[in-house]
Amino acid sequence: MKIAINLTREKVGGITSSNINLINYLYKLNYEFTGIELVSRMHMEGPALFRSFAPEIFDHHIISIHHLPLQNILKRSSSLQEVKKAYGEPIKIIRNILKESRPDAVLLSGTYYLPWLISIAAKKEKIPVVLWYSGVLTKETEHSPVKTRRMFLSLEKAIIKNASKIIFPSELCRKTVEELVIKKKVKNSCVIPNPMASIFTDPSVVDDSEDRTIAGIGRYSKIKNFDKFFQLELELQKRNWRHTASFVTNPDANLEHMPKSIKALPSMKPEELKKFYLKQGLIICPSNFETFGNVPMEAACLGIPVLVNETMGCAEILKKVGLENMVISFDDINKVADRVEQLCDQEILPKQLNALKKLLDTNFVSEQIRIVLNDTIHKNSH
């Protein structure tokens, strides 16, 4: 069986780790791969992340589109058809790659313009596409100018239309796509949570977390809602609740509204992040919307309590394993502060921890995806 897959090489990105976990699993089962990577940079280092795979069963293609910047193309285009026309050359190259390698299916992660270009080529070559959702583009661009929003809505609809089967990481994600993007029920879809890298699910010796430590981790953006974390910190200070707080985020974040009592830390690689989680008493995730939410699930799999907004897909998993007290609405900051005081330094019971790790185990999740791929290939070969 041969699968074509879109690759990214962002070391800490959710798509990259999910892809590598899946490839590792299917690789052992003698699946072959065609990796297609579109890069918008003129210079890049070799793809060290994928070097461990034998070239005869992992065929990696890199297409540079640095001369076709998306923002410039969007500015001069009045329809998605014009955007598609501007990317005619890379689409043709992808078609040729698919023609030569003849994969049985194409697995696309994400709904941005690069997976969309691959989906166009796959459709033309009559190869079934399985779309693995990792963010709702329409939701992520809801604060952009009208023209940009309209274009990305058309793009997201087009990629859904090109897919034979869709994998959603949560019911929340499926419901949002049905209500916001296509305005009807999604056919041929299933819900499979994001897998957790084994670094976070392997048994760990829990460091004694320092006394009452809370942390937020993620990109500082509107949708991630970290201003609520800042409000929460001010409330906890007002209560004289003794603790320390930190925020791990992108180094270029504008943190002028962040209380001085919060310590800003730069983004970390998985090994560093694991050590950091193990020193925390509570991880706080106030996101307005996330299709899943890898950060709180990584921490929870290490036995660290979390508090997530009910507008995050991973809230479904926490409720499923009996950790509904770790889900709250962030609308009432007083209630959130009460819950923080309750949860900080609490233990996740072994029974709950085992249930959580089982649901998010990378092999368990990869097997479910493998079944979806095989089923899609089987249906499309008749």
Side-chain angles (χ1 to χ4, degrees):
M1 205 73 84
K2 188 185 269 190
I3 309 295
I5 196 163
N6 65 313
L7 300 174
T8 66
R9 60 173 97 186
E10 303 305 322
K11 289 187 182 67
V12 291
I15 288 178
T16 307
S17 62
S18 294
N19 265 345
I20 292 205
N21 290 334
L22 179 69
I23 293 166
N24 273 319
Y25 180 78
L26 295 178
Y27 196 74
K28 291 178 196 134
L29 301 173
N30 293 325
Y31 276 66
E32 291 182 22
F33 299 90
T34 298
I36 300 172
E37 185 180 4
L38 286 107
V39 290
S40 49
R41 289 173 296 218
M42 201 169 190
H43 164 259
M44 74 221 81
E45 290 181 354
L49 283 164
F50 307 106
R51 276 193 198 131
S52 58
F53 304 118
E56 60 274 12
I57 55 172
F58 187 86
D59 184 19
H60 188 170
H61 298 264
I62 302 166
I63 304 160
S64 175
I65 50 168
H66 78 274
H67 58 301
L68 299 166
L70 179 67
Q71 291 312 322
N72 295 6
I73 289 168
L74 286 177
K75 257 180 219 153
R76 63 170 194 257
S77 303
S78 56
S79 69
L80 192 63
Q81 204 52 37
E82 286 179 28
V83 178
K84 181 179 161 182
K85 200 173 165 190
Y87 285 107
E89 185 190 16
I91 291 170
K92 195 174 159 192
I93 294 168
I94 299 163
R95 275 193 78 173
N96 287 334
I97 292 167
L98 295 175
K99 214 176 270 178
E100 277 174 37
S101 61
R102 291 313 307 165
D104 298 288
V106 175
L107 176 66
L108 294 177
S109 302
T111 50
Y112 199 37
Y113 75 114
L114 305 178
W116 169 62
L117 297 177
I118 300 171
S119 80
I120 295 166
K123 189 88 175 160
K124 285 184 173 164
E125 289 304 316
K126 297 184 169 54
I127 300 165
V129 169
V130 175
L131 174 59
W132 191 4
Y133 248 86
S134 64
V136 178
L137 196 54
T138 304
K139 190 86 182 155
E140 285 178 15
T141 55
E142 63 188 356
H143 299 290
S144 303
V146 176
K147 185 187 167 186
T148 310
R149 287 206 314 267
R150 201 183 65 235
M151 210 68 104
F152 280 128
L153 174 63
S154 304
L155 191 154
E156 192 162 2
K157 280 181 177 172
I159 198 168
I160 289 169
K161 201 173 164 204
N162 288 343
S164 302
K165 182 90 177 180
I166 301 175
I167 300 169
F168 291 106
S170 61
E171 275 300 345
L172 173 75
C173 180
R174 175 153 62 185
K175 193 165 155 267
T176 306
V177 168
E178 288 176 344
E179 288 172 5
L180 209 65
V181 185
I182 61 168
K183 311 274 195 293
K184 61 179 182 183
K185 289 269 177 237
V186 178
K187 289 180 188 155
N188 295 331
S189 67
C190 61
V191 173
I192 300 173
N194 285 356
M196 291 299 106
S198 54
I199 185 171
F200 301 112
T201 55
D202 288 344
S204 297
V205 178
V206 178
D207 288 17
D208 279 336
S209 64
E210 287 144 25
D211 203 22
R212 284 199 200 158
T213 45
I214 63 170
I217 300 168
R219 194 173 75 243
Y220 183 60
S221 64
K222 226 174 179 74
I223 204 159
K224 299 283 187 185
N225 201 24
F226 280 112
D227 286 345
K228 275 281 189 246
F229 179 53
F230 302 164
Q231 274 180 41
L232 169 68
E233 171 63 9
L234 295 173
E235 174 57 32
L236 293 170
Q237 291 291 345
K238 203 168 84 185
R239 294 180 178 200
N240 291 319
W241 189 66
R242 193 176 46 78
H243 71 287
T244 56
S246 39
F247 181 31
V248 179
T249 192
N250 39 315
D252 55 353
N254 176 11
L255 301 176
E256 58 183 51
H257 301 299
M258 186 172 85
K260 297 278 181 281
S261 55
I262 297 177
K263 187 181 178 186
L265 298 166
S267 307
M268 302 174 188
K269 289 185 179 145
E271 295 77 13
E272 301 167 301
L273 203 48
K274 180 178 181 173
K275 283 180 188 161
F276 179 77
Y277 286 142
L278 291 170
K279 285 192 160 56
Q280 303 311 308
L282 184 67
I283 298 293
I284 295 164
C285 302
S287 269
N288 283 324
F289 175 80
E290 271 191 57
T291 56
F292 191 64
N294 282 11
V295 163
M297 294 298 93
E298 287 168 355
C301 282
L302 291 167
I304 305 302
V306 299
L307 186 57
V308 312
N309 203 340
E310 60 189 16
T311 50
M312 293 176 71
C314 62
E316 295 163 19
I317 297 286
L318 290 168
K319 288 174 183 173
K320 208 176 263 186
V321 300
L323 294 170
E324 46 283 295
N325 65 330
M326 295 189 181
V327 179
I328 198 168
S329 159
F330 271 72
D331 291 344
D332 185 334
I333 220 68
N334 271 308
K335 285 182 181 167
V336 177
D338 292 345
R339 191 71 62 86
V340 167
E341 290 184 18
Q342 268 171 34
L343 286 176
C344 191
D345 286 328
Q346 224 189 57
E347 276 186 22
I348 295 179
L349 299 172
K351 188 180 158 188
Q352 295 164 326
L353 191 56
N354 289 337
L356 189 66
K357 286 183 179 185
K358 195 177 168 186
L359 283 175
L360 305 178
D361 173 71
T362 185
N363 290 339
F364 178 65
V365 172
S366 297
E367 179 54 24
Q368 292 177 72
I369 292 166
R370 188 186 75 82
I371 291 166
V372 170
L373 285 166
N374 283 15
D375 187 47
T376 307
I377 292 162
H378 182 68
K379 278 183 180 152
N380 281 272
S381 62
H382 292 299

